[in-house]
Amino acid sequence: MGEVHLRVCPLCEATCGLRLETEGDRVVKVRGDEHDPFSRGYVCPKGVALGELHADPDRLRRPLRRQGESFVETTWESALDEAAEGILRVQRRHGRDAVAVYLGNPTVHNLGALLFAPPFIRTLRTKSRFSATSVDQLAHHVAAWAMFGHQLLLPVPDLDRTAFFLLVGSNPLASNGSLMTAPDVKQRLLDLKARGGRLVVVDPRRTETAAIADQHLFVRPGTDVFLLAALLHVVFRENLQRTGRLAAHTSGLDAVRRAVLGFTPERAERATGIAAPTIVALARAFAASESGAVHARMGASTQEYGGLCQWLTTLLNLVTGNLDRPGGVLFTTPAVEPFRLAPAGHLGVWKSRVRGLPEFGGELPVSVLSEEIETPGQGQIRGLVTHAGNPVLSTPDGRRLSRALRSLEFFVAIDLYKNETTQHAHLILPPTGALEHDHYDAAFYVLSIRNFAKYSPAVFPKPAGALHDWEIFAGLSQRLVARRPMPERMAARALAALGPARILDLALRLGPYGGLRRGGMSLARLRAEPHGVDLGPLEPRLPKALRTKDGRIDAAPSIFTQALAGMGDPVAAPGSLGLIGRRNLRDCNSWLHNVPGLMSGRDRCTLLIHPSDAGARGIVGGQAVRVRSRVGEVEVRAELTEDVMPGVVSLPHGFGHAGDGISLTVATRHAGVSINDLTDPERVDALTGAAAFSGVPVEVVPADRG
Ligand SMILES: Nc1nc2c(c(=O)[nH]1)N[C@H]1C(S)=C(S)[C@@H](COP(=O)(O)OP(=O)(O)OC[C@H]3O[C@@H](n4cnc5c(=O)[nH]c(N)nc54)[C@H](O)[C@@H]3O)O[C@H]1N2
Ligand SMILES: Nc1nc2c(c(=O)[nH]1)N[C@H]1C(S)=C(S)[C@@H](COP(=O)(O)OP(=O)(O)OC[C@H]3O[C@@H](n4cnc5c(=O)[nH]c(N)nc54)[C@H](O)[C@@H]3O)O[C@H]1N2
Ligand code: SF4
Ligand SMILES: [Mo]
């Protein structure tokens, strides 16, 4: 007899409620949970594939130890002992910072890891800390920290109530949304249009999202800063600003007005390719709209001016009166307050050893990881711990990183697969799969378009002899502090004894909906409401929520005004094309290509190129082409389409599953090529250190002529 389980899908930011039917240790059916008040029954193909992922024969179930070029199974006891010994050995020989750590994206989709990775990293006492943040949303944290005083004060678009949604560099119809947790985002966008609202998309490609928009503006990659500054310029020039209630709690607005004086719509036209009158009309329409939200994501965050883009985006929302008001962008009031989980942030308190890029919140940009491993000297990285990350495919110049990883004295990977990155480890420690542990989206309810809370119990019991991510972290931490003073040992033991569920319960009780009153938020309450608890629409929280020293919004942090003042106009490299990435609904960064149900249909890893650019190079549709950048080259099939603007080519990210060292049977059959064999670690946002993926200059030639 089968069983029915309710839980949240842990694969992307949308947090859809699922209804899983199981028989024994098998998932027989996955549907969207129509009684989940937030996701309302929506599910995408990835959610449906969770059962296949769970059953994937390539998913590792036992710790592996490298022996020459192959791996052998070992016991957890000896794997954890060896891992801790390896880490301590490198630190004894070369110093604490010689051991680096990299946290990948799924770390934030896993409550146990989210809670136990930070204390583990503190135990390492290393400054060599990296994560996927610096190839993703770092710009948002820097802007939030500089303007609002806390890196997690991220304004979220009030998608269900806004009258005007201006979306820059994001394709939620493929990604399901980002820094905007909005399950069933397509329907929500269609609802916006149905209630008379307006959707405008700014993107170098006519994406699936652009296709349903009222207006799509092609923008040259990496030039959004000129557009955003020009929109502000028009708002000030035409006296359309109405900062309203928040003006009294904001400093620096005059400096902002002065900062954008030189950013005319005509200058923006030259940089972006968007006609000046179009920019003027957009500024007027947005400012006049009864409400509006500008949201700039991946395409605008991972570019040379990503930090500036996020600052200008928030300013646009602020000066048009849309910050912290219904229909605009607001801060969530999540059941678990993020301020209890994460510190406020700091920027550039130290710099990376080789290139001098700034830390943010204690992390260095991952674009420097290879050089920090390769460059001899005090502080050289000789050991590495990765958790839920695949930086060989996800960070710039992955091939170089792959070679660098091979040179490490010690590398331990906590991961479900032997993939492009973990194949280089000395130890691979595989945790339980998503369905074998409980979950609560502590991170994504901070970014949610409604205040919402839902607890997911494990679907399957933990298999005998398996460990959860948090248990691996706790086991390592306890071993690392074994010879340290008593208080440290006791703290590590006490934390492990608590475990994630009890920590969550405590955080819920201490949170804004907790307290002693009956029905106050607690784990028991969430268990009793398995479809989730809707905590209402977002509500204004300013100025109270501000964490700046003076309790005011800083509209003009000097890091931004100076960077904007120092900006020159973009110069195009003659003959080259600008490379951008893309996502497909059935991908999940680099790691779901081993699930057969997601890989049917035609080859997704193609180079999109405009027919005029193809014609000029003698390229026809379907032809193999060679794409070459400063750092590397790949060979891939060209797909001709007028959906990318002339001068721009697009490759998906997350492919490139070749080589004998990986154990990904299905993914290898759909290997594709890695866009990050072309992206360049030298191209970063100087302000934040984040990778600049947008517009990497590439040459494209027919493969038989290259
Ligand atoms: N199916 C699927 N869903 C995912 C993921 C996945 O891999 N697959 N990954 C998840 C993760 S980790 C994240 S962070 C989110 C990201 O979610 P999104 O932010 O929506 O990211 P993308 O879908 O990559 O959309 C980025 C868009 O920016 C455009 N772009 C590129 N360069 C520029 C530029 O210079 N300016 C402008 N204006 N646009 C530009 C690209 O053409 C692309 O359409 O998606 C999440 N959801
Ligand atoms: N050029 C280019 N590069 C990009 C992007 C882009 O758009 N263009 N997108 C960037 C973005 S937004 C992101 S977030 C990064 C993602 O980059 P990463 O986080 O480095 O890589 P992922 O592809 O998400 O790989 C996740 C890994 O975690 C493992 N895993 C999955 N679940 C778990 C778990 O519960 N526990 C453990 N221990 N392991 C698990 C998987 O097996 C896989 O190895 O890539 C970035 N790189
Ligand atoms: S949209 Fe995201 S959360 Fe929802 S089912 Fe798909 S992968 Fe899972
Ligand atoms: Mo991401």
Side-chain angles (χ1 to χ4, degrees), residues 11-13 46 105 109 136-137 167-172 174-178 202-205 207 219-224 297-300 302-303 579-590 650 653 693-695:
L11 293 174
C12 89
E13 300 181 39
K46 292 195 291 293
N105 170 274
H109 293 268
D136 189 350
Q137 82 290 357
L167 192 58
V168 183
S170 176
N171 182 16
S175 70
N176 293 301
S178 184
V202 180
D203 198 302
R205 179 165 78 90
T207 59
V219 64
R220 285 195 197 110
T223 65
D224 304 80
R297 246 327 253 138
M298 266 309 275
T302 47
Q303 53 159 277
L579 176 68
I580 60 170
R582 69 175 185 271
R583 289 177 154 77
N584 179 288
L585 192 57
R586 286 178 298 161
D587 299 327
C588 187
N589 296 318
S590 75
S650 160
H653 97 105
F693 289 132
S694 301

Short mmCIF file of all heavy atoms in Angstrom, two decimals, residues 11-13 46 105 109 136-137 167-172 174-178 202-205 207 219-224 297-300 302-303 579-590 650 653 693-695, ligand 1:
data_model
loop_
_atom_site.label_atom_id
_atom_site.label_comp_id
_atom_site.label_asym_id
_atom_site.label_seq_id
_atom_site.Cartn_x
_atom_site.Cartn_y
_atom_site.Cartn_z
N LEU A 11 14.70 22.17 -5.12
CA LEU A 11 15.63 22.31 -6.25
C LEU A 11 15.85 23.74 -6.71
O LEU A 11 16.91 24.08 -7.20
CB LEU A 11 15.15 21.45 -7.43
CG LEU A 11 15.21 19.95 -7.15
CD1 LEU A 11 14.59 19.17 -8.29
CD2 LEU A 11 16.64 19.49 -6.90
N CYS A 12 14.83 24.59 -6.60
CA CYS A 12 15.08 25.98 -7.00
C CYS A 12 14.47 26.90 -5.96
O CYS A 12 13.98 26.48 -4.93
CB CYS A 12 14.63 26.25 -8.43
SG CYS A 12 12.93 26.80 -8.61
N GLU A 13 14.47 28.20 -6.26
CA GLU A 13 14.04 29.17 -5.25
C GLU A 13 12.52 29.24 -5.11
O GLU A 13 12.02 29.91 -4.20
CB GLU A 13 14.60 30.55 -5.60
CG GLU A 13 16.11 30.58 -5.64
CD GLU A 13 16.67 31.97 -5.97
OE1 GLU A 13 16.12 32.96 -5.49
OE2 GLU A 13 17.67 32.03 -6.70
N LYS A 46 11.32 19.55 -13.09
CA LYS A 46 12.37 19.13 -12.15
C LYS A 46 11.75 18.55 -10.88
O LYS A 46 12.24 17.56 -10.33
CB LYS A 46 13.27 20.32 -11.78
CG LYS A 46 14.10 20.80 -12.93
CD LYS A 46 15.21 21.72 -12.47
CE LYS A 46 14.71 23.04 -11.96
NZ LYS A 46 14.11 23.88 -12.99
N ASN A 105 25.65 26.13 -4.44
CA ASN A 105 24.27 26.61 -4.36
C ASN A 105 23.34 25.74 -3.51
O ASN A 105 22.57 26.26 -2.68
CB ASN A 105 23.74 26.79 -5.79
CG ASN A 105 22.26 27.03 -5.85
OD1 ASN A 105 21.47 26.11 -5.88
ND2 ASN A 105 21.88 28.29 -5.84
N HIS A 109 19.73 25.34 -0.01
CA HIS A 109 18.46 24.61 -0.17
C HIS A 109 18.38 23.45 0.82
O HIS A 109 17.59 22.52 0.63
CB HIS A 109 18.34 24.07 -1.59
CG HIS A 109 18.20 25.14 -2.64
ND1 HIS A 109 16.98 25.60 -3.07
CD2 HIS A 109 19.12 25.85 -3.33
CE1 HIS A 109 17.15 26.53 -4.00
NE2 HIS A 109 18.44 26.70 -4.16
N ASP A 136 27.05 34.84 -8.51
CA ASP A 136 25.59 34.92 -8.46
C ASP A 136 25.14 36.26 -7.89
O ASP A 136 25.24 37.29 -8.54
CB ASP A 136 25.07 33.71 -7.66
CG ASP A 136 23.57 33.54 -7.70
OD1 ASP A 136 22.90 34.46 -8.19
OD2 ASP A 136 23.06 32.50 -7.24
N GLN A 137 24.69 36.28 -6.64
CA GLN A 137 23.93 37.42 -6.13
C GLN A 137 24.75 38.36 -5.23
O GLN A 137 24.18 39.18 -4.53
CB GLN A 137 22.70 36.91 -5.39
CG GLN A 137 22.87 36.44 -3.96
CD GLN A 137 23.65 35.15 -3.80
OE1 GLN A 137 24.04 34.52 -4.77
NE2 GLN A 137 23.90 34.74 -2.57
N LEU A 167 11.64 44.14 -15.41
CA LEU A 167 12.51 43.01 -15.11
C LEU A 167 13.76 43.10 -15.97
O LEU A 167 13.68 43.08 -17.20
CB LEU A 167 11.73 41.73 -15.40
CG LEU A 167 12.30 40.41 -14.92
CD1 LEU A 167 12.50 40.42 -13.41
CD2 LEU A 167 11.37 39.28 -15.31
N VAL A 168 14.90 43.19 -15.31
CA VAL A 168 16.16 43.40 -16.01
C VAL A 168 17.07 42.19 -15.80
O VAL A 168 17.40 41.86 -14.66
CB VAL A 168 16.87 44.68 -15.48
CG1 VAL A 168 18.15 44.96 -16.27
CG2 VAL A 168 15.93 45.88 -15.53
N GLY A 169 17.44 41.51 -16.88
CA GLY A 169 18.42 40.43 -16.76
C GLY A 169 17.93 39.24 -15.98
O GLY A 169 18.67 38.64 -15.19
N SER A 170 16.70 38.85 -16.20
CA SER A 170 16.16 37.67 -15.52
C SER A 170 15.14 37.01 -16.44
O SER A 170 14.41 37.69 -17.15
CB SER A 170 15.50 38.08 -14.20
OG SER A 170 14.91 36.95 -13.59
N ASN A 171 15.10 35.70 -16.39
CA ASN A 171 14.18 34.95 -17.24
C ASN A 171 13.40 33.95 -16.40
O ASN A 171 13.61 32.74 -16.46
CB ASN A 171 14.99 34.22 -18.33
CG ASN A 171 14.10 33.46 -19.29
OD1 ASN A 171 12.89 33.68 -19.34
ND2 ASN A 171 14.70 32.55 -20.03
N PRO A 172 12.48 34.46 -15.57
CA PRO A 172 11.80 33.57 -14.62
C PRO A 172 10.98 32.45 -15.27
O PRO A 172 10.73 31.44 -14.61
CB PRO A 172 10.90 34.52 -13.81
CG PRO A 172 10.85 35.79 -14.57
CD PRO A 172 12.09 35.86 -15.39
N ALA A 174 12.09 30.44 -17.30
CA ALA A 174 13.00 29.29 -17.27
C ALA A 174 13.53 29.05 -15.86
O ALA A 174 13.64 27.91 -15.41
CB ALA A 174 14.17 29.53 -18.22
N SER A 175 13.84 30.12 -15.14
CA SER A 175 14.52 29.96 -13.85
C SER A 175 13.54 29.82 -12.69
O SER A 175 13.93 29.49 -11.59
CB SER A 175 15.42 31.16 -13.58
OG SER A 175 14.66 32.32 -13.33
N ASN A 176 12.29 30.11 -12.92
CA ASN A 176 11.26 30.16 -11.88
C ASN A 176 11.51 31.27 -10.88
O ASN A 176 10.97 31.27 -9.77
CB ASN A 176 11.15 28.82 -11.15
CG ASN A 176 10.60 27.73 -12.07
OD1 ASN A 176 9.50 27.87 -12.58
ND2 ASN A 176 11.37 26.70 -12.32
N GLY A 177 12.34 32.23 -11.27
CA GLY A 177 12.52 33.42 -10.44
C GLY A 177 13.70 33.31 -9.49
O GLY A 177 14.05 32.23 -9.05
N SER A 178 14.28 34.46 -9.18
CA SER A 178 15.44 34.46 -8.30
C SER A 178 15.46 35.72 -7.44
O SER A 178 15.16 36.81 -7.93
CB SER A 178 16.71 34.38 -9.12
OG SER A 178 17.82 34.29 -8.28
N VAL A 202 14.07 43.67 -19.97
CA VAL A 202 15.29 44.18 -20.58
C VAL A 202 16.29 43.04 -20.64
O VAL A 202 16.72 42.52 -19.60
CB VAL A 202 15.88 45.35 -19.75
CG1 VAL A 202 17.15 45.88 -20.39
CG2 VAL A 202 14.84 46.46 -19.58
N ASP A 203 16.65 42.60 -21.85
CA ASP A 203 17.46 41.39 -21.98
C ASP A 203 18.07 41.35 -23.39
O ASP A 203 17.38 41.68 -24.35
CB ASP A 203 16.56 40.15 -21.76
CG ASP A 203 17.34 38.89 -21.43
OD1 ASP A 203 18.20 38.50 -22.23
OD2 ASP A 203 17.08 38.29 -20.36
N PRO A 204 19.32 40.93 -23.52
CA PRO A 204 19.92 40.82 -24.86
C PRO A 204 19.28 39.70 -25.69
O PRO A 204 19.60 39.54 -26.86
CB PRO A 204 21.39 40.49 -24.60
CG PRO A 204 21.61 40.67 -23.14
CD PRO A 204 20.27 40.58 -22.46
N ARG A 205 18.43 38.90 -25.06
CA ARG A 205 17.77 37.81 -25.78
C ARG A 205 16.27 37.94 -25.59
O ARG A 205 15.82 38.33 -24.50
CB ARG A 205 18.24 36.47 -25.20
CG ARG A 205 17.60 35.26 -25.87
CD ARG A 205 18.35 33.98 -25.53
NE ARG A 205 18.04 33.45 -24.20
CZ ARG A 205 17.06 32.58 -23.94
NH1 ARG A 205 16.26 32.14 -24.89
NH2 ARG A 205 16.88 32.14 -22.71
N THR A 207 13.68 36.30 -24.50
CA THR A 207 13.54 35.07 -23.73
C THR A 207 12.08 34.64 -23.69
O THR A 207 11.19 35.36 -24.16
CB THR A 207 13.99 35.32 -22.28
OG1 THR A 207 13.15 36.36 -21.75
CG2 THR A 207 15.44 35.74 -22.20
N VAL A 219 19.14 44.83 -24.92
CA VAL A 219 20.18 45.67 -24.33
C VAL A 219 21.53 45.00 -24.60
O VAL A 219 21.65 43.78 -24.55
CB VAL A 219 19.96 45.84 -22.81
CG1 VAL A 219 20.08 44.51 -22.06
CG2 VAL A 219 20.90 46.87 -22.20
N ARG A 220 22.54 45.79 -24.93
CA ARG A 220 23.88 45.20 -25.11
C ARG A 220 24.37 44.69 -23.76
O ARG A 220 24.26 45.38 -22.74
CB ARG A 220 24.86 46.24 -25.64
CG ARG A 220 24.65 46.53 -27.10
CD ARG A 220 25.84 47.29 -27.73
NE ARG A 220 25.36 47.86 -28.97
CZ ARG A 220 25.18 49.17 -29.19
NH1 ARG A 220 25.49 50.05 -28.26
NH2 ARG A 220 24.70 49.58 -30.33
N PRO A 221 24.93 43.48 -23.75
CA PRO A 221 25.37 42.89 -22.47
C PRO A 221 26.29 43.84 -21.69
O PRO A 221 27.16 44.49 -22.26
CB PRO A 221 26.13 41.63 -22.91
CG PRO A 221 25.56 41.27 -24.24
CD PRO A 221 25.15 42.57 -24.88
N GLY A 222 26.06 43.89 -20.40
CA GLY A 222 26.96 44.64 -19.52
C GLY A 222 26.74 46.14 -19.50
O GLY A 222 27.51 46.86 -18.87
N THR A 223 25.70 46.64 -20.18
CA THR A 223 25.51 48.10 -20.28
C THR A 223 24.30 48.59 -19.50
O THR A 223 23.94 49.77 -19.57
CB THR A 223 25.36 48.55 -21.75
OG1 THR A 223 24.14 47.99 -22.27
CG2 THR A 223 26.54 48.10 -22.59
N ASP A 224 23.65 47.72 -18.73
CA ASP A 224 22.42 48.11 -18.01
C ASP A 224 22.62 49.32 -17.11
O ASP A 224 21.68 50.07 -16.86
CB ASP A 224 21.93 46.94 -17.16
CG ASP A 224 21.71 45.70 -18.00
OD1 ASP A 224 22.69 45.01 -18.30
OD2 ASP A 224 20.57 45.45 -18.38
N ARG A 297 18.28 40.99 -12.05
CA ARG A 297 18.86 39.74 -11.53
C ARG A 297 20.06 39.29 -12.34
O ARG A 297 20.71 40.11 -12.94
CB ARG A 297 17.76 38.67 -11.47
CG ARG A 297 17.39 38.21 -10.06
CD ARG A 297 18.54 38.20 -9.08
NE ARG A 297 19.01 36.88 -8.77
CZ ARG A 297 20.30 36.55 -8.66
NH1 ARG A 297 21.25 37.42 -8.88
NH2 ARG A 297 20.64 35.34 -8.33
N MET A 298 20.29 37.96 -12.35
CA MET A 298 21.55 37.39 -12.87
C MET A 298 22.24 38.21 -13.95
O MET A 298 23.41 38.55 -13.82
CB MET A 298 21.31 35.98 -13.42
CG MET A 298 21.56 34.86 -12.44
SD MET A 298 23.13 34.90 -11.61
CE MET A 298 24.18 34.08 -12.81
N GLY A 299 21.52 38.48 -15.05
CA GLY A 299 22.14 39.18 -16.16
C GLY A 299 22.67 40.54 -15.75
O GLY A 299 23.67 41.03 -16.28
N ALA A 300 22.02 41.15 -14.78
CA ALA A 300 22.44 42.48 -14.32
C ALA A 300 23.36 42.40 -13.09
O ALA A 300 24.01 43.37 -12.74
CB ALA A 300 21.22 43.33 -13.99
N THR A 302 25.74 39.69 -12.55
CA THR A 302 27.04 39.09 -12.84
C THR A 302 27.60 39.76 -14.10
O THR A 302 27.69 39.17 -15.16
CB THR A 302 26.93 37.57 -13.04
OG1 THR A 302 25.82 37.31 -13.90
CG2 THR A 302 26.71 36.86 -11.71
N GLN A 303 27.92 41.02 -13.94
CA GLN A 303 28.55 41.77 -15.02
C GLN A 303 29.48 42.80 -14.39
O GLN A 303 29.50 42.97 -13.17
CB GLN A 303 27.48 42.43 -15.89
CG GLN A 303 26.48 43.27 -15.11
CD GLN A 303 25.79 44.30 -15.98
OE1 GLN A 303 26.35 45.36 -16.19
NE2 GLN A 303 24.59 44.00 -16.45
N LEU A 579 29.34 37.13 -25.36
CA LEU A 579 28.73 35.86 -24.92
C LEU A 579 27.89 36.07 -23.67
O LEU A 579 28.32 36.73 -22.72
CB LEU A 579 29.85 34.85 -24.62
CG LEU A 579 29.44 33.49 -24.04
CD1 LEU A 579 28.68 32.67 -25.08
CD2 LEU A 579 30.68 32.72 -23.56
N ILE A 580 26.68 35.52 -23.68
CA ILE A 580 25.84 35.50 -22.48
C ILE A 580 25.38 34.07 -22.20
O ILE A 580 25.47 33.20 -23.08
CB ILE A 580 24.60 36.43 -22.61
CG1 ILE A 580 23.73 35.99 -23.78
CG2 ILE A 580 25.03 37.88 -22.73
CD1 ILE A 580 22.37 36.69 -23.84
N GLY A 581 24.86 33.83 -21.00
CA GLY A 581 24.39 32.49 -20.64
C GLY A 581 22.89 32.37 -20.83
O GLY A 581 22.22 33.29 -21.27
N ARG A 582 22.37 31.19 -20.51
CA ARG A 582 20.91 31.03 -20.45
C ARG A 582 20.57 29.80 -19.62
O ARG A 582 21.41 28.94 -19.36
CB ARG A 582 20.29 30.95 -21.84
CG ARG A 582 20.60 29.71 -22.63
CD ARG A 582 19.82 29.69 -23.96
NE ARG A 582 20.01 28.44 -24.68
CZ ARG A 582 20.98 28.21 -25.55
NH1 ARG A 582 21.87 29.15 -25.82
NH2 ARG A 582 21.07 27.03 -26.16
N ARG A 583 19.31 29.75 -19.21
CA ARG A 583 18.80 28.61 -18.44
C ARG A 583 17.62 28.00 -19.17
O ARG A 583 16.92 28.68 -19.92
CB ARG A 583 18.37 29.07 -17.04
CG ARG A 583 19.54 29.43 -16.16
CD ARG A 583 19.11 29.94 -14.79
NE ARG A 583 20.14 29.69 -13.80
CZ ARG A 583 21.25 30.40 -13.69
NH1 ARG A 583 21.49 31.42 -14.49
NH2 ARG A 583 22.15 30.09 -12.77
N ASN A 584 17.41 26.72 -18.92
CA ASN A 584 16.26 26.01 -19.46
C ASN A 584 15.50 25.44 -18.27
O ASN A 584 16.12 25.04 -17.27
CB ASN A 584 16.73 24.89 -20.39
CG ASN A 584 15.58 24.08 -20.96
OD1 ASN A 584 14.94 23.31 -20.25
ND2 ASN A 584 15.32 24.25 -22.23
N LEU A 585 14.18 25.39 -18.39
CA LEU A 585 13.34 24.93 -17.28
C LEU A 585 13.78 23.57 -16.74
O LEU A 585 13.60 23.27 -15.57
CB LEU A 585 11.88 24.88 -17.75
CG LEU A 585 10.81 24.70 -16.68
CD1 LEU A 585 10.90 25.79 -15.64
CD2 LEU A 585 9.41 24.69 -17.31
N ARG A 586 14.37 22.72 -17.60
CA ARG A 586 14.72 21.37 -17.15
C ARG A 586 16.15 21.24 -16.64
O ARG A 586 16.59 20.14 -16.32
CB ARG A 586 14.43 20.37 -18.26
CG ARG A 586 12.92 20.13 -18.40
CD ARG A 586 12.60 19.19 -19.52
NE ARG A 586 13.04 19.73 -20.79
CZ ARG A 586 13.23 19.00 -21.88
NH1 ARG A 586 13.05 17.70 -21.83
NH2 ARG A 586 13.63 19.56 -23.00
N ASP A 587 16.88 22.36 -16.58
CA ASP A 587 18.23 22.31 -15.99
C ASP A 587 18.18 22.80 -14.56
O ASP A 587 17.26 23.51 -14.17
CB ASP A 587 19.19 23.26 -16.73
CG ASP A 587 19.37 22.91 -18.19
OD1 ASP A 587 19.32 21.72 -18.52
OD2 ASP A 587 19.54 23.85 -19.00
N CYS A 588 19.19 22.42 -13.80
CA CYS A 588 19.37 22.99 -12.47
C CYS A 588 20.87 23.19 -12.31
O CYS A 588 21.57 22.28 -11.88
CB CYS A 588 18.81 22.04 -11.42
SG CYS A 588 18.82 22.73 -9.78
N ASN A 589 21.34 24.33 -12.74
CA ASN A 589 22.77 24.59 -12.78
C ASN A 589 23.46 23.39 -13.42
O ASN A 589 23.06 22.97 -14.50
CB ASN A 589 23.28 24.98 -11.39
CG ASN A 589 22.64 26.31 -10.96
OD1 ASN A 589 22.53 27.23 -11.76
ND2 ASN A 589 22.21 26.41 -9.72
N SER A 590 24.46 22.78 -12.76
CA SER A 590 25.21 21.73 -13.46
C SER A 590 24.77 20.33 -13.10
O SER A 590 25.35 19.37 -13.59
CB SER A 590 26.70 21.87 -13.12
OG SER A 590 26.95 21.40 -11.80
N SER A 650 24.72 33.14 -27.27
CA SER A 650 24.31 32.59 -25.96
C SER A 650 24.56 31.09 -25.89
O SER A 650 24.21 30.34 -26.80
CB SER A 650 22.82 32.90 -25.73
OG SER A 650 22.29 32.03 -24.75
N HIS A 653 24.49 27.49 -19.29
CA HIS A 653 25.57 27.16 -18.34
C HIS A 653 25.23 25.83 -17.67
O HIS A 653 24.08 25.41 -17.64
CB HIS A 653 25.79 28.29 -17.34
CG HIS A 653 25.10 28.12 -16.03
ND1 HIS A 653 25.76 27.77 -14.89
CD2 HIS A 653 23.81 28.24 -15.70
CE1 HIS A 653 24.89 27.68 -13.90
NE2 HIS A 653 23.70 27.97 -14.36
N PHE A 693 30.04 37.70 -16.05
CA PHE A 693 29.75 36.71 -17.09
C PHE A 693 29.18 37.35 -18.35
O PHE A 693 29.33 36.81 -19.44
CB PHE A 693 28.72 35.69 -16.58
CG PHE A 693 29.25 34.73 -15.55
CD1 PHE A 693 28.54 34.48 -14.38
CD2 PHE A 693 30.44 34.04 -15.76
CE1 PHE A 693 29.01 33.58 -13.43
CE2 PHE A 693 30.91 33.13 -14.82
CZ PHE A 693 30.20 32.90 -13.66
N SER A 694 28.48 38.48 -18.19
CA SER A 694 27.76 39.05 -19.34
C SER A 694 28.71 39.68 -20.33
O SER A 694 29.50 40.55 -19.98
CB SER A 694 26.77 40.11 -18.87
OG SER A 694 25.86 39.55 -17.98
N GLY A 695 28.61 39.24 -21.57
CA GLY A 695 29.33 39.92 -22.65
C GLY A 695 30.79 39.55 -22.78
O GLY A 695 31.58 40.37 -23.25
N1 LIG B 1 15.64 25.84 -14.80
C1 LIG B 1 16.54 26.40 -14.00
N2 LIG B 1 16.12 27.18 -13.00
C2 LIG B 1 17.03 27.77 -12.21
C3 LIG B 1 18.42 27.51 -12.34
C4 LIG B 1 18.83 26.67 -13.40
O1 LIG B 1 20.03 26.44 -13.61
N3 LIG B 1 17.87 26.15 -14.21
N4 LIG B 1 19.30 28.11 -11.49
C5 LIG B 1 18.79 28.75 -10.30
C6 LIG B 1 19.73 29.76 -9.82
S1 LIG B 1 21.03 29.19 -8.89
C7 LIG B 1 19.57 31.09 -10.03
S2 LIG B 1 20.66 32.20 -9.36
C8 LIG B 1 18.42 31.62 -10.76
C9 LIG B 1 18.75 32.73 -11.77
O2 LIG B 1 17.58 33.19 -12.31
P1 LIG B 1 17.55 34.41 -13.35
O3 LIG B 1 18.10 35.61 -12.70
O4 LIG B 1 16.21 34.50 -13.94
O5 LIG B 1 18.66 33.92 -14.40
P2 LIG B 1 18.62 33.48 -15.93
O6 LIG B 1 17.49 32.60 -16.25
O7 LIG B 1 19.99 33.00 -16.24
O8 LIG B 1 18.33 34.83 -16.69
C10 LIG B 1 19.31 35.80 -16.85
C11 LIG B 1 18.95 36.60 -18.07
O9 LIG B 1 19.87 37.67 -18.19
C12 LIG B 1 20.13 37.89 -19.54
N5 LIG B 1 21.37 38.65 -19.62
C13 LIG B 1 22.63 38.23 -19.80
N6 LIG B 1 23.48 39.27 -19.79
C14 LIG B 1 22.71 40.38 -19.58
C15 LIG B 1 23.00 41.76 -19.46
O10 LIG B 1 24.14 42.20 -19.54
N7 LIG B 1 21.95 42.59 -19.22
C16 LIG B 1 20.67 42.14 -19.14
N8 LIG B 1 19.71 43.02 -18.91
N9 LIG B 1 20.38 40.85 -19.27
C17 LIG B 1 21.38 39.98 -19.48
C18 LIG B 1 20.15 36.52 -20.15
O11 LIG B 1 19.89 36.57 -21.52
C19 LIG B 1 19.07 35.79 -19.36
O12 LIG B 1 17.85 35.80 -20.04
O13 LIG B 1 17.77 30.56 -11.44
C20 LIG B 1 17.49 29.46 -10.58
N10 LIG B 1 16.57 28.61 -11.26
#
